[in-house]
Amino acid sequence: MREKYFVPHDNKWSVDPELQRRVSYDVVNLVDEDQVHRHASAPIVVCRNVFIYFSEASIRRALGVFERAMPVPGYLCVGASESLLRRTVAFELQDIGGAFMYVKDAPPSGHHPDPRLSGVERVS
């Protein structure tokens, strides 16, 4: 995986420039529905260690936008201490290669429309 997605640079590894061009970073106010919606249509959203600072109402509001805007399948990455299990039914927690991710409208166990993610296990 390292050789596929990284390049050696000064005795360290850097993200492959081609991959880096495909990734965008932005600062978004998750309480502002317009800002969230603009970015939530991405197939993968990384929102780590953010919800731990939000009220329950603010979390549900942001999740509602993710639920409506993200494609199927959509992958929502949150911090290890941020559980969404009682806050949404649109995302299911899954173990994908040892990493836990919330997947929008996950297909039945053992099948995944994205062949790169074969072997996905559902977490019950």
Side-chain angles (χ1 to χ4, degrees):
M1 295 295 281
R2 181 175 61 183
E3 286 78 17
K4 184 175 181 178
Y5 297 109
F6 295 85
V7 294
H9 180 73
D10 294 334
N11 294 325
K12 296 180 183 177
W13 291 89
S14 300
V15 175
D16 182 287
E18 179 58 33
L19 177 60
Q20 185 67 42
R21 281 191 283 281
R22 297 173 54 195
V23 175
S24 63
Y25 299 90
D26 204 351
V27 176
V28 176
N29 179 351
L30 292 177
V31 181
D32 183 326
E33 188 164 333
D34 291 333
Q35 285 187 29
V36 176
H37 194 274
R38 186 173 71 235
H39 297 286
S41 61
I44 301 172
V45 174
V46 179
C47 195
R48 293 182 51 88
N49 301 322
V50 174
F51 291 137
I52 57 175
Y53 300 105
F54 280 29
S55 69
E56 190 66 31
S58 295
I59 294 170
R60 289 185 190 277
R61 184 174 177 183
L63 285 175
V65 178
F66 289 138
E67 290 171 6
R68 292 186 297 277
M70 288 183 78
V72 175
Y75 302 91
L76 180 59
C77 307
V78 299
S81 64
E82 299 172 304
S83 174
L84 305 180
L85 294 176
R86 291 189 203 106
R87 295 180 170 127
T88 178
V89 295
F91 292 91
E92 179 180 33
L93 184 62
Q94 293 189 9
D95 179 343
I96 301 177
F100 290 99
M101 300 178 83
Y102 287 92
V103 181
K104 180 181 174 186
D105 292 332
S109 182
H111 172 74
H112 203 284
D114 187 337
R116 295 169 297 174
L117 298 173
S118 62
V120 168
E121 296 179 30
R122 288 179 173 227
V123 176
S124 300

